[in-house]
Amino acid sequence: MARQPQDPIVRDIVQMIRGAQLSRRQLLRGAAVGAAGAGTLGLASCAGGGSSSGDGVVWGNWTYYLDYDEESGSYPSLDRFMEESGYEVDYIEDIDDNNTFYGKIKDQLELGQYTGYDVVTFTDWMNGRIIQAEQVQEFDYANLPNVQANLVDAQWDALDVDPGRKFSIPWQLPASGWVWNTEAVPDGIKTLDDFLRPELKGKVVVLSEMRDTVGMILAGLGHDPSGDWGDAEFDEAMAWLDDALKSGQIGNVKGNSYTQDLISGDALAAMAWSGDVIMLNAENDNQWTLEIPESGGMIASDSFTVPNGTSAEAKARVEEMIDYYYQPEVMAEVADYVTYVPPVKGTQEAMRTVNPENADNPLIFPSEADWEHLHSFRTLSAEEDKKYSTEFQNVLGL
């Protein structure tokens, strides 16, 4: 079992959280469960930022981003790693938003002090920011033979400010595409302007995550979201979104709760995350089709980084842990639970043993053709990020 916090109050809270932890599928079922999930996130944040890892590892990760056994309240792959390695990992699901988590450890990062975490898994756009600020450490690939051998080719240079993945190593690859109710929208959504068909008025929802929604709009308008686009292309995307919102064609802009709109029928088509649709279909008789659009979907990376304040000894242990997860059979266990795209070669073959039903799921294992249509959102400068984020929020009316 993962080491418990020293503070007895915090320890009790964490035990309570783990005892009541909800599956991702349960989280999708309704507002009451969602409220419980929000409480979990709030309490989990109490556990982060603790003492130095001593002779173990403190890993800050996103909620529901590691295989979890609800009956035993444990993380099977992580338990096995701790048994094999002989040291403990404080696994803390403490990231629910890149900006808020960055704000939590920003001061320590800027001072080069220990953040309370030996390793974290920000999304790559945030990783680009902290790499450029020289706030994270370079990995020693002598300790990472499995990563060297098994990281999928497309990810080595996917983060433009970290070619060769010297400072960031992908953990999960959330992909986004276009989803529709298969029965109500029999012709599907094949082009960006298909979202504007009269019969879908008010029944379209897009994501509140700028890089996914704007990225897919840019791609639909013929621009490469990972390429050298600028103000003119961004303004064009904002004009398309603004028109669709003001006309009432797009009925809602949401985060994860867009899944509830799909379930209720309030939305018949959406820009969506692949893992969500896998779980929606599993729970609701395969009502939806999700495809990577021909014009281009988005793929992000949530990647391991080691903050500067982590000791050399702890960094070496982190590298051992990362390398463990880069074994295909281990990553297959994780992918079967998380259902996002794994970054490890050989995972699909290993999945045939773990769960054959998921081995040929194109939303977990995109085809070669799909990979050609998956884009990463280019890294924005701090000035661009502030400007574009503000414009996006203004168009949404937030």
Side-chain angles (χ1 to χ4, degrees):
M1 294 291 291
R3 187 179 66 182
Q4 297 295 326
Q6 296 297 315
D7 186 309
I9 296 176
V10 175
R11 184 172 62 241
D12 289 346
I13 292 172
V14 171
Q15 288 175 336
M16 179 184 69
I17 291 167
R18 288 177 174 162
Q21 196 154 14
L22 303 168
S23 74
R24 295 183 66 178
R25 291 177 183 172
Q26 287 171 318
L27 188 66
L28 296 171
R29 284 179 176 159
V33 176
T40 296
L41 296 176
L43 289 169
S45 66
C46 299
S51 60
S52 173
S53 57
D55 57 358
V57 165
V58 181
W59 176 9
N61 198 9
W62 297 82
T63 306
Y64 310 118
Y65 238 30
L66 183 64
D67 54 301
Y68 181 73
D69 186 324
E70 294 177 35
E71 292 186 2
S72 64
S74 64
Y75 302 93
S77 66
L78 188 61
D79 287 349
R80 196 163 57 252
F81 170 74
M82 289 189 286
E83 184 176 351
E84 292 176 4
S85 67
Y87 53 82
E88 296 179 326
V89 177
D90 272 347
Y91 179 70
I92 305 171
E93 294 186 335
D94 211 13
I95 309 174
D96 67 299
D97 178 272
N98 283 290
N99 283 308
T100 56
F101 188 70
Y102 174 74
K104 181 176 180 178
I105 63 175
K106 177 173 67 72
D107 291 344
Q108 290 92 341
L109 283 173
E110 290 177 350
L111 294 171
Q113 297 176 347
Y114 185 63
T115 61
Y117 306 87
D118 296 307
V119 60
V120 296
T121 53
F122 279 122
T123 306
D124 268 357
W125 65 264
M126 180 62 82
N127 285 329
R129 184 183 299 179
I130 60 177
I131 289 169
Q132 288 180 306
E134 300 181 348
Q135 294 174 340
V136 296
Q137 302 184 45
E138 184 172 351
F139 286 108
D140 181 356
Y141 270 83
N143 296 331
L144 298 162
N146 290 326
V147 178
Q148 188 78 51
N150 296 330
L151 175 60
V152 296
D153 296 339
Q155 280 296 310
W156 280 107
D157 296 325
L159 178 54
D160 51 6
V161 300
D162 187 24
R165 292 291 183 179
K166 296 180 178 64
F167 298 91
S168 60
I169 296 176
W171 164 242
Q172 297 293 318
L173 311 177
S176 53
W178 295 346
V179 65
W180 59 88
N181 184 298
T182 307
E183 182 176 344
V185 191
D187 294 334
I189 304 293
K190 302 301 181 184
T191 71
L192 185 63
D193 283 344
D194 281 346
F195 282 114
L196 306 181
R197 293 205 301 256
E199 66 269 25
L200 294 178
K201 185 166 186 176
K203 297 286 188 178
V204 174
V205 61
V206 297
L207 298 167
S208 57
E209 171 58 45
M210 181 186 76
R211 285 164 176 78
D212 288 306
T213 290
V214 174
M216 283 189 278
I217 295 173
L218 282 170
L221 294 172
H223 308 299
D224 179 359
S226 60
D228 189 24
W229 55 269
D231 289 353
E233 292 80 7
F234 186 83
D235 290 344
E236 185 182 356
M238 286 300 94
W240 186 93
L241 181 61
D242 194 35
D243 287 346
L245 284 165
K246 286 180 176 174
S247 68
Q249 186 72 25
I250 294 176
N252 247 319
V253 182
K254 289 193 170 181
N256 275 107
S257 60
Y258 74 92
T259 55
Q260 292 302 311
D261 291 44
L262 291 171
I263 292 171
S264 67
D266 289 341
L268 298 177
M271 298 185 184
W273 288 300
S274 58
D276 290 343
V277 178
I278 292 174
M279 286 184 284
L280 280 174
N281 274 331
E283 293 289 315
N284 296 277
D285 300 323
N286 295 306
Q287 295 183 44
W288 298 275
T289 298
L290 183 139
E291 289 184 357
I292 305 302
E294 183 74 17
S295 56
M298 301 303 297
I299 189 157
S301 301
D302 293 326
S303 300
F304 293 106
T305 59
V306 176
N308 279 346
T310 296
S311 70
E313 294 78 11
K315 174 173 170 286
R317 292 191 290 269
V318 168
E319 290 167 342
E320 183 180 350
M321 185 184 77
I322 294 172
D323 208 54
Y324 163 81
Y325 278 107
Y326 263 72
Q327 299 174 86
E329 58 274 18
V330 178
M331 183 54 72
E333 292 181 61
V334 177
D336 189 49
Y337 178 86
V338 176
T339 68
Y340 280 117
V341 179
V344 178
K345 291 178 183 175
T347 303
Q348 186 171 19
E349 290 73 20
M351 184 66 85
R352 298 191 190 287
T353 300
V354 173
N355 183 357
E357 290 185 4
N358 270 340
D360 294 313
N361 191 327
L363 300 184
I364 301 176
F365 301 106
S367 66
E368 290 186 15
D370 286 337
W371 275 112
E372 293 176 1
H373 298 289
L374 285 169
H375 303 287
S376 299
F377 202 87
R378 76 168 174 85
T379 299
L380 304 178
S381 68
E383 293 75 18
E384 287 177 322
D385 194 2
K386 182 177 180 180
K387 175 183 177 181
Y388 293 151
S389 295
T390 299
E391 291 182 22
F392 182 65
Q393 296 294 316
N394 287 341
V395 167
L396 301 189
L398 300 176

